Amino acid sequence: PPPTIVGYSTTYTFQTLTSSVARICQFVVLPPSSGLGVGYSSLSSLSAHLAARDDVKEVNVEDPCPAFSRLRDAVDVGLCA
């Protein structure tokens, strides 16, 4: 089967006085893929990718909605396990 777009995310990195910060600006899972674990696996992969960068010391989110905050908490717990 052909690849299917299930969602997207955007990030950018900016400098502070002492380090680089990665910011997640948008994180969208399209409705047909909602509830299938796509958000969890995508955010886990994105978080691991950003954490592996030597220049990034912090990852934050621009104005998260409550559902995204719960998803990020779940991913953070999973990364600690």
Side-chain angles (χ1 to χ4, degrees), residues 1-58:
T4 303
I5 296 174
V6 296
Y8 63 90
S9 63
T10 59
T11 64
Y12 67 90
T13 305
F14 60 93
Q15 291 293 123
T16 64
L17 292 176
T18 59
S19 66
S20 293
V21 177
R23 177 167 289 165
I24 301 171
C25 305
Q26 296 176 327
F27 190 88
V28 177
V29 175
L30 299 175
S33 303
S34 182
L36 301 176
V38 171
Y40 183 89
S41 61
S42 297
L43 187 56
S44 294
S45 296
L46 179 60
S47 296
H49 171 74
L50 294 171
R53 290 180 47 183
D54 291 334
D55 63 324
V56 173
K57 302 300 179 201
E58 179 184 347

